[in-house]
Structure formats: C-alpha cells, structure tokens
PDB file of all heavy atoms in Angstrom:
ATOM      1  N   VAL W   6    -223.014  25.506  -7.794  1.00 89.00           N
ATOM      2  CA  VAL W   6    -224.228  25.129  -7.189  1.00 89.00           C
ATOM      3  C   VAL W   6    -225.495  25.749  -7.788  1.00 89.00           C
ATOM      4  O   VAL W   6    -225.377  26.911  -8.196  1.00 89.00           O
ATOM      5  CB  VAL W   6    -224.276  25.356  -5.638  1.00 89.00           C
ATOM      6  CG1 VAL W   6    -223.307  24.465  -4.888  1.00 89.00           C
ATOM      7  CG2 VAL W   6    -223.985  26.810  -5.400  1.00 89.00           C
ATOM      8  N   PRO W   7    -226.563  25.147  -7.861  1.00 93.00           N
ATOM      9  CA  PRO W   7    -226.842  23.758  -7.896  1.00 93.00           C
ATOM     10  C   PRO W   7    -226.367  23.167  -9.276  1.00 93.00           C
ATOM     11  O   PRO W   7    -226.450  23.962 -10.255  1.00 93.00           O
ATOM     12  CB  PRO W   7    -228.333  23.562  -7.651  1.00 93.00           C
ATOM     13  CG  PRO W   7    -228.890  24.857  -8.279  1.00 93.00           C
ATOM     14  CD  PRO W   7    -227.900  25.952  -7.992  1.00 93.00           C
ATOM     15  N   ILE W   8    -226.000  21.932  -9.333  1.00 93.00           N
ATOM     16  CA  ILE W   8    -225.639  21.408 -10.613  1.00 93.00           C
ATOM     17  C   ILE W   8    -226.790  20.483 -11.047  1.00 93.00           C
ATOM     18  O   ILE W   8    -227.198  19.609 -10.296  1.00 93.00           O
ATOM     19  CB  ILE W   8    -224.328  20.513 -10.453  1.00 93.00           C
ATOM     20  CG1 ILE W   8    -223.152  21.440  -9.962  1.00 93.00           C
ATOM     21  CG2 ILE W   8    -223.937  19.845 -11.658  1.00 93.00           C
ATOM     22  CD1 ILE W   8    -221.977  20.723  -9.569  1.00 93.00           C
ATOM     23  N   VAL W   9    -227.180  20.785 -12.278  1.00 93.00           N
ATOM     24  CA  VAL W   9    -228.376  19.945 -12.798  1.00 93.00           C
ATOM     25  C   VAL W   9    -227.905  19.427 -14.243  1.00 93.00           C
ATOM     26  O   VAL W   9    -227.505  20.135 -15.133  1.00 93.00           O
ATOM     27  CB  VAL W   9    -229.645  20.927 -13.004  1.00 93.00           C
ATOM     28  CG1 VAL W   9    -230.739  20.129 -13.624  1.00 93.00           C
ATOM     29  CG2 VAL W   9    -229.947  21.607 -11.677  1.00 93.00           C
ATOM     30  N   PHE W  10    -228.002  18.136 -14.296  1.00 91.00           N
ATOM     31  CA  PHE W  10    -227.579  17.411 -15.562  1.00 91.00           C
ATOM     32  C   PHE W  10    -228.820  17.331 -16.401  1.00 91.00           C
ATOM     33  O   PHE W  10    -229.837  16.816 -15.925  1.00 91.00           O
ATOM     34  CB  PHE W  10    -227.022  16.069 -15.289  1.00 91.00           C
ATOM     35  CG  PHE W  10    -225.641  16.178 -14.649  1.00 91.00           C
ATOM     36  CD1 PHE W  10    -225.486  16.060 -13.246  1.00 91.00           C
ATOM     37  CD2 PHE W  10    -224.502  16.328 -15.442  1.00 91.00           C
ATOM     38  CE1 PHE W  10    -224.208  16.169 -12.642  1.00 91.00           C
ATOM     39  CE2 PHE W  10    -223.250  16.331 -14.824  1.00 91.00           C
ATOM     40  CZ  PHE W  10    -223.129  16.313 -13.445  1.00 91.00           C
ATOM     41  N   GLY W  11    -228.766  17.768 -17.637  1.00 90.00           N
ATOM     42  CA  GLY W  11    -229.921  17.628 -18.527  1.00 90.00           C
ATOM     43  C   GLY W  11    -229.845  16.367 -19.269  1.00 90.00           C
ATOM     44  O   GLY W  11    -228.858  15.733 -19.444  1.00 90.00           O
ATOM     45  N   ALA W  12    -231.035  15.977 -19.821  1.00 89.00           N
ATOM     46  CA  ALA W  12    -231.168  14.749 -20.554  1.00 89.00           C
ATOM     47  C   ALA W  12    -230.404  14.750 -21.828  1.00 89.00           C
ATOM     48  O   ALA W  12    -230.029  13.757 -22.370  1.00 89.00           O
ATOM     49  CB  ALA W  12    -232.665  14.441 -20.817  1.00 89.00           C
ATOM     50  N   ASN W  13    -230.145  15.910 -22.440  1.00 88.00           N
ATOM     51  CA  ASN W  13    -229.446  15.990 -23.713  1.00 88.00           C
ATOM     52  C   ASN W  13    -227.924  16.168 -23.531  1.00 88.00           C
ATOM     53  O   ASN W  13    -227.280  16.596 -24.448  1.00 88.00           O
ATOM     54  CB  ASN W  13    -229.997  17.212 -24.516  1.00 88.00           C
ATOM     55  CG  ASN W  13    -229.865  18.538 -23.806  1.00 88.00           C
ATOM     56  OD1 ASN W  13    -229.468  18.613 -22.592  1.00 88.00           O
ATOM     57  ND2 ASN W  13    -230.143  19.575 -24.504  1.00 88.00           N
ATOM     58  N   GLY W  14    -227.446  15.921 -22.347  1.00 83.00           N
ATOM     59  CA  GLY W  14    -225.965  15.961 -22.136  1.00 83.00           C
ATOM     60  C   GLY W  14    -225.475  17.310 -21.660  1.00 83.00           C
ATOM     61  O   GLY W  14    -224.226  17.528 -21.548  1.00 83.00           O
ATOM     62  N   THR W  15    -226.336  18.219 -21.330  1.00 88.00           N
ATOM     63  CA  THR W  15    -225.913  19.526 -20.832  1.00 88.00           C
ATOM     64  C   THR W  15    -225.869  19.608 -19.353  1.00 88.00           C
ATOM     65  O   THR W  15    -226.366  18.732 -18.629  1.00 88.00           O
ATOM     66  CB  THR W  15    -226.977  20.631 -21.322  1.00 88.00           C
ATOM     67  OG1 THR W  15    -228.219  20.297 -20.725  1.00 88.00           O
ATOM     68  CG2 THR W  15    -227.037  20.661 -22.878  1.00 88.00           C
ATOM     69  N   VAL W  16    -225.159  20.624 -18.846  1.00 91.00           N
ATOM     70  CA  VAL W  16    -224.980  20.801 -17.390  1.00 91.00           C
ATOM     71  C   VAL W  16    -225.319  22.262 -17.176  1.00 91.00           C
ATOM     72  O   VAL W  16    -224.820  23.165 -17.773  1.00 91.00           O
ATOM     73  CB  VAL W  16    -223.585  20.527 -16.898  1.00 91.00           C
ATOM     74  CG1 VAL W  16    -223.451  20.765 -15.428  1.00 91.00           C
ATOM     75  CG2 VAL W  16    -223.164  19.110 -17.312  1.00 91.00           C
ATOM     76  N   LYS W  17    -226.251  22.487 -16.204  1.00 94.00           N
ATOM     77  CA  LYS W  17    -226.546  23.844 -15.753  1.00 94.00           C
ATOM     78  C   LYS W  17    -226.057  24.009 -14.265  1.00 94.00           C
ATOM     79  O   LYS W  17    -226.187  23.132 -13.531  1.00 94.00           O
ATOM     80  CB  LYS W  17    -228.106  24.071 -15.760  1.00 94.00           C
ATOM     81  CG  LYS W  17    -228.688  24.212 -17.144  1.00 94.00           C
ATOM     82  CD  LYS W  17    -230.207  24.509 -17.041  1.00 94.00           C
ATOM     83  CE  LYS W  17    -230.850  24.492 -18.366  1.00 94.00           C
ATOM     84  NZ  LYS W  17    -232.260  24.764 -18.324  1.00 94.00           N
ATOM     85  N   PHE W  18    -225.493  25.223 -14.055  1.00 95.00           N
ATOM     86  CA  PHE W  18    -225.075  25.548 -12.685  1.00 95.00           C
ATOM     87  C   PHE W  18    -224.879  26.958 -12.535  1.00 95.00           C
ATOM     88  O   PHE W  18    -224.787  27.721 -13.478  1.00 95.00           O
ATOM     89  CB  PHE W  18    -223.764  24.842 -12.400  1.00 95.00           C
ATOM     90  CG  PHE W  18    -222.562  25.284 -13.289  1.00 95.00           C
ATOM     91  CD1 PHE W  18    -221.799  26.317 -12.964  1.00 95.00           C
ATOM     92  CD2 PHE W  18    -222.361  24.604 -14.493  1.00 95.00           C
ATOM     93  CE1 PHE W  18    -220.746  26.714 -13.809  1.00 95.00           C
ATOM     94  CE2 PHE W  18    -221.427  25.022 -15.304  1.00 95.00           C
ATOM     95  CZ  PHE W  18    -220.562  26.128 -15.029  1.00 95.00           C
ATOM     96  N   ARG W  19    -224.746  27.436 -11.337  1.00 96.00           N
ATOM     97  CA  ARG W  19    -224.276  28.767 -11.026  1.00 96.00           C
ATOM     98  C   ARG W  19    -222.976  28.692 -10.245  1.00 96.00           C
ATOM     99  O   ARG W  19    -222.842  27.884  -9.367  1.00 96.00           O
ATOM    100  CB  ARG W  19    -225.341  29.525 -10.161  1.00 96.00           C
ATOM    101  CG  ARG W  19    -226.656  29.664 -10.952  1.00 96.00           C
ATOM    102  CD  ARG W  19    -227.490  30.691 -10.291  1.00 96.00           C
ATOM    103  NE  ARG W  19    -226.856  31.963 -10.527  1.00 96.00           N
ATOM    104  CZ  ARG W  19    -227.547  33.079 -10.665  1.00 96.00           C
ATOM    105  NH1 ARG W  19    -228.829  33.021 -10.744  1.00 96.00           N
ATOM    106  NH2 ARG W  19    -226.915  34.258 -10.821  1.00 96.00           N
ATOM    107  N   GLU W  20    -222.078  29.586 -10.538  1.00 94.00           N
ATOM    108  CA  GLU W  20    -220.762  29.626  -9.821  1.00 94.00           C
ATOM    109  C   GLU W  20    -220.856  30.594  -8.681  1.00 94.00           C
ATOM    110  O   GLU W  20    -221.090  31.782  -8.947  1.00 94.00           O
ATOM    111  CB  GLU W  20    -219.643  29.879 -10.879  1.00 94.00           C
ATOM    112  CG  GLU W  20    -218.339  29.613 -10.229  1.00 94.00           C
ATOM    113  CD  GLU W  20    -217.314  29.353 -11.332  1.00 94.00           C
ATOM    114  OE1 GLU W  20    -217.120  30.299 -12.216  1.00 94.00           O
ATOM    115  OE2 GLU W  20    -216.578  28.374 -11.314  1.00 94.00           O
ATOM    116  N   ARG W  21    -220.530  30.208  -7.532  1.00 94.00           N
ATOM    117  CA  ARG W  21    -220.489  31.019  -6.372  1.00 94.00           C
ATOM    118  C   ARG W  21    -219.017  31.251  -5.989  1.00 94.00           C
ATOM    119  O   ARG W  21    -218.292  30.313  -5.856  1.00 94.00           O
ATOM    120  CB  ARG W  21    -221.171  30.275  -5.186  1.00 94.00           C
ATOM    121  CG  ARG W  21    -221.130  31.152  -3.897  1.00 94.00           C
ATOM    122  CD  ARG W  21    -221.874  30.543  -2.754  1.00 94.00           C
ATOM    123  NE  ARG W  21    -223.267  30.492  -3.112  1.00 94.00           N
ATOM    124  CZ  ARG W  21    -224.137  29.630  -2.576  1.00 94.00           C
ATOM    125  NH1 ARG W  21    -223.736  28.764  -1.652  1.00 94.00           N
ATOM    126  NH2 ARG W  21    -225.494  29.674  -2.886  1.00 94.00           N
ATOM    127  N   LYS W  22    -218.630  32.518  -5.883  1.00 94.00           N
ATOM    128  CA  LYS W  22    -217.304  32.889  -5.480  1.00 94.00           C
ATOM    129  C   LYS W  22    -217.338  33.476  -4.203  1.00 94.00           C
ATOM    130  O   LYS W  22    -218.001  34.550  -3.979  1.00 94.00           O
ATOM    131  CB  LYS W  22    -216.667  33.833  -6.472  1.00 94.00           C
ATOM    132  CG  LYS W  22    -216.552  33.195  -7.900  1.00 94.00           C
ATOM    133  CD  LYS W  22    -216.001  34.091  -8.879  1.00 94.00           C
ATOM    134  CE  LYS W  22    -215.862  33.511 -10.273  1.00 94.00           C
ATOM    135  NZ  LYS W  22    -215.421  34.401 -11.256  1.00 94.00           N
ATOM    136  N   THR W  23    -216.621  32.921  -3.183  1.00 95.00           N
ATOM    137  CA  THR W  23    -216.575  33.483  -1.815  1.00 95.00           C
ATOM    138  C   THR W  23    -215.197  33.904  -1.559  1.00 95.00           C
ATOM    139  O   THR W  23    -214.223  33.192  -1.813  1.00 95.00           O
ATOM    140  CB  THR W  23    -217.002  32.343  -0.804  1.00 95.00           C
ATOM    141  OG1 THR W  23    -218.233  31.722  -1.270  1.00 95.00           O
ATOM    142  CG2 THR W  23    -217.216  32.897   0.547  1.00 95.00           C
ATOM    143  N   MET W  24    -215.092  35.128  -0.909  1.00 96.00           N
ATOM    144  CA  MET W  24    -213.765  35.676  -0.609  1.00 96.00           C
ATOM    145  C   MET W  24    -213.505  35.619   0.878  1.00 96.00           C
ATOM    146  O   MET W  24    -214.447  35.910   1.680  1.00 96.00           O
ATOM    147  CB  MET W  24    -213.701  37.117  -1.114  1.00 96.00           C
ATOM    148  CG  MET W  24    -214.135  37.256  -2.573  1.00 96.00           C
ATOM    149  SD  MET W  24    -212.779  36.836  -3.675  1.00 96.00           S
ATOM    150  CE  MET W  24    -211.843  38.316  -3.631  1.00 96.00           C
ATOM    151  N   PHE W  25    -212.309  35.332   1.216  1.00 96.00           N
ATOM    152  CA  PHE W  25    -211.797  35.225   2.675  1.00 96.00           C
ATOM    153  C   PHE W  25    -210.600  36.146   2.800  1.00 96.00           C
ATOM    154  O   PHE W  25    -209.579  35.886   2.119  1.00 96.00           O
ATOM    155  CB  PHE W  25    -211.476  33.880   3.084  1.00 96.00           C
ATOM    156  CG  PHE W  25    -212.632  32.829   2.906  1.00 96.00           C
ATOM    157  CD1 PHE W  25    -212.746  32.130   1.695  1.00 96.00           C
ATOM    158  CD2 PHE W  25    -213.602  32.725   3.838  1.00 96.00           C
ATOM    159  CE1 PHE W  25    -213.846  31.221   1.587  1.00 96.00           C
ATOM    160  CE2 PHE W  25    -214.643  31.850   3.723  1.00 96.00           C
ATOM    161  CZ  PHE W  25    -214.759  31.077   2.559  1.00 96.00           C
ATOM    162  N   PHE W  26    -210.658  37.038   3.743  1.00 95.00           N
ATOM    163  CA  PHE W  26    -209.511  37.922   3.915  1.00 95.00           C
ATOM    164  C   PHE W  26    -208.277  37.148   4.595  1.00 95.00           C
ATOM    165  O   PHE W  26    -208.516  36.364   5.408  1.00 95.00           O
ATOM    166  CB  PHE W  26    -209.889  39.049   4.880  1.00 95.00           C
ATOM    167  CG  PHE W  26    -208.725  40.034   5.149  1.00 95.00           C
ATOM    168  CD1 PHE W  26    -208.185  40.811   4.124  1.00 95.00           C
ATOM    169  CD2 PHE W  26    -208.280  40.189   6.417  1.00 95.00           C
ATOM    170  CE1 PHE W  26    -207.128  41.671   4.379  1.00 95.00           C
ATOM    171  CE2 PHE W  26    -207.213  41.066   6.682  1.00 95.00           C
ATOM    172  CZ  PHE W  26    -206.665  41.827   5.663  1.00 95.00           C
ATOM    173  N   VAL W  27    -207.085  37.285   4.053  1.00 95.00           N
ATOM    174  CA  VAL W  27    -205.949  36.595   4.533  1.00 95.00           C
ATOM    175  C   VAL W  27    -204.891  37.726   5.086  1.00 95.00           C
ATOM    176  O   VAL W  27    -204.135  38.221   4.401  1.00 95.00           O
ATOM    177  CB  VAL W  27    -205.232  35.875   3.371  1.00 95.00           C
ATOM    178  CG1 VAL W  27    -204.051  35.036   3.864  1.00 95.00           C
ATOM    179  CG2 VAL W  27    -206.224  34.968   2.618  1.00 95.00           C
ATOM    180  N   PRO W  28    -205.077  37.918   6.384  1.00 93.00           N
ATOM    181  CA  PRO W  28    -204.174  38.987   7.023  1.00 93.00           C
ATOM    182  C   PRO W  28    -202.689  38.738   6.932  1.00 93.00           C
ATOM    183  O   PRO W  28    -201.932  39.602   6.716  1.00 93.00           O
ATOM    184  CB  PRO W  28    -204.666  39.107   8.487  1.00 93.00           C
ATOM    185  CG  PRO W  28    -205.532  37.836   8.643  1.00 93.00           C
ATOM    186  CD  PRO W  28    -205.931  37.322   7.409  1.00 93.00           C
ATOM    187  N   GLU W  29    -202.299  37.460   6.980  1.00 93.00           N
ATOM    188  CA  GLU W  29    -200.887  37.198   6.913  1.00 93.00           C
ATOM    189  C   GLU W  29    -200.249  37.377   5.603  1.00 93.00           C
ATOM    190  O   GLU W  29    -199.021  37.501   5.554  1.00 93.00           O
ATOM    191  CB  GLU W  29    -200.598  35.723   7.456  1.00 93.00           C
ATOM    192  CG  GLU W  29    -201.231  34.578   6.638  1.00 93.00           C
ATOM    193  CD  GLU W  29    -202.652  34.332   7.159  1.00 93.00           C
ATOM    194  OE1 GLU W  29    -203.263  34.935   7.960  1.00 93.00           O
ATOM    195  OE2 GLU W  29    -203.125  33.224   6.563  1.00 93.00           O
ATOM    196  N   LEU W  30    -201.047  37.523   4.518  1.00 94.00           N
ATOM    197  CA  LEU W  30    -200.535  37.842   3.175  1.00 94.00           C
ATOM    198  C   LEU W  30    -200.827  39.296   2.786  1.00 94.00           C
ATOM    199  O   LEU W  30    -200.598  39.740   1.686  1.00 94.00           O
ATOM    200  CB  LEU W  30    -201.026  36.912   2.171  1.00 94.00           C
ATOM    201  CG  LEU W  30    -200.704  35.384   2.335  1.00 94.00           C
ATOM    202  CD1 LEU W  30    -201.417  34.625   1.216  1.00 94.00           C
ATOM    203  CD2 LEU W  30    -199.188  35.164   2.218  1.00 94.00           C
ATOM    204  N   SER W  31    -201.385  40.046   3.733  1.00 94.00           N
ATOM    205  CA  SER W  31    -201.747  41.410   3.511  1.00 94.00           C
ATOM    206  C   SER W  31    -200.668  42.337   4.171  1.00 94.00           C
ATOM    207  O   SER W  31    -200.140  42.030   5.249  1.00 94.00           O
ATOM    208  CB  SER W  31    -203.082  41.770   4.043  1.00 94.00           C
ATOM    209  OG  SER W  31    -204.051  40.929   3.385  1.00 94.00           O
ATOM    210  N   VAL W  32    -200.441  43.463   3.570  1.00 88.00           N
ATOM    211  CA  VAL W  32    -199.381  44.404   4.146  1.00 88.00           C
ATOM    212  C   VAL W  32    -200.189  45.720   4.355  1.00 88.00           C
ATOM    213  O   VAL W  32    -200.712  46.312   3.362  1.00 88.00           O
ATOM    214  CB  VAL W  32    -198.256  44.610   3.190  1.00 88.00           C
ATOM    215  CG1 VAL W  32    -197.402  45.663   3.726  1.00 88.00           C
ATOM    216  CG2 VAL W  32    -197.490  43.334   2.996  1.00 88.00           C
ATOM    217  N   PHE W  33    -200.202  46.172   5.514  1.00 67.00           N
ATOM    218  CA  PHE W  33    -200.835  47.448   5.850  1.00 67.00           C
ATOM    219  C   PHE W  33    -199.711  48.513   5.907  1.00 67.00           C
ATOM    220  O   PHE W  33    -199.183  48.728   6.904  1.00 67.00           O
ATOM    221  CB  PHE W  33    -201.623  47.412   7.112  1.00 67.00           C
ATOM    222  CG  PHE W  33    -202.656  46.362   7.152  1.00 67.00           C
ATOM    223  CD1 PHE W  33    -202.440  45.104   7.666  1.00 67.00           C
ATOM    224  CD2 PHE W  33    -203.921  46.641   6.547  1.00 67.00           C
ATOM    225  CE1 PHE W  33    -203.392  44.131   7.753  1.00 67.00           C
ATOM    226  CE2 PHE W  33    -204.851  45.616   6.540  1.00 67.00           C
ATOM    227  CZ  PHE W  33    -204.666  44.401   7.099  1.00 67.00           C
ATOM    228  N   SER W  34    -199.462  49.068   4.753  1.00 49.00           N
ATOM    229  CA  SER W  34    -198.283  50.091   4.706  1.00 49.00           C
ATOM    230  C   SER W  34    -198.877  51.476   4.871  1.00 49.00           C
ATOM    231  O   SER W  34    -199.962  51.843   4.569  1.00 49.00           O
ATOM    232  CB  SER W  34    -197.567  49.959   3.355  1.00 49.00           C
ATOM    233  OG  SER W  34    -198.482  50.193   2.327  1.00 49.00           O
ATOM    234  N   ASP W  35    -198.008  52.236   5.503  1.00 48.00           N
ATOM    235  CA  ASP W  35    -198.317  53.683   5.671  1.00 48.00           C
ATOM    236  C   ASP W  35    -197.128  54.412   5.199  1.00 48.00           C
ATOM    237  O   ASP W  35    -196.427  55.032   6.023  1.00 48.00           O
ATOM    238  CB  ASP W  35    -198.643  53.916   7.185  1.00 48.00           C
ATOM    239  CG  ASP W  35    -199.275  55.302   7.415  1.00 48.00           C
ATOM    240  OD1 ASP W  35    -199.683  55.875   6.422  1.00 48.00           O
ATOM    241  OD2 ASP W  35    -199.222  55.724   8.539  1.00 48.00           O
ATOM    242  N   LYS W  36    -196.781  54.331   3.972  1.00 46.00           N
ATOM    243  CA  LYS W  36    -195.603  54.975   3.400  1.00 46.00           C
ATOM    244  C   LYS W  36    -195.788  56.496   3.202  1.00 46.00           C
ATOM    245  O   LYS W  36    -196.787  56.960   2.939  1.00 46.00           O
ATOM    246  CB  LYS W  36    -195.249  54.338   1.991  1.00 46.00           C
ATOM    247  CG  LYS W  36    -194.931  52.862   2.164  1.00 46.00           C
ATOM    248  CD  LYS W  36    -194.766  52.259   0.784  1.00 46.00           C
ATOM    249  CE  LYS W  36    -194.543  50.760   0.948  1.00 46.00           C
ATOM    250  NZ  LYS W  36    -194.547  50.006  -0.336  1.00 46.00           N
TER     251      LYS W  36
END
C-alpha cells in the first residue's frame, strides 16, 4: 500500500508487514 502505477509501466508501493501472535503454535517452556 499504496500502489501507484506509473505511465512508463512502473509500479510504486510500500510493503507493510503486520505480525500476529499465535499462542497455539507457541511453546512456553521452562526447562
């Protein structure tokens, strides 16, 4: 986002990476 198409065939954008914690795939070990 945002995606902007240029007249010369180029594409400009920014990549947004959002992280979500997944507790069911996490292991809280106390070894």
Side-chain angles (χ1 to χ4, degrees):
V6 289
I8 299 170
V9 179
F10 291 94
N13 61 350
T15 59
V16 180
K17 289 183 184 180
F18 63 90
R19 295 198 69 145
E20 191 158 54
R21 178 179 293 159
K22 296 177 183 177
T23 310
M24 306 281 278
F25 302 94
F26 181 63
V27 184
E29 60 272 11
L30 296 178
S31 299
V32 175
F33 301 97
S34 60
D35 194 16
K36 297 176 185 174

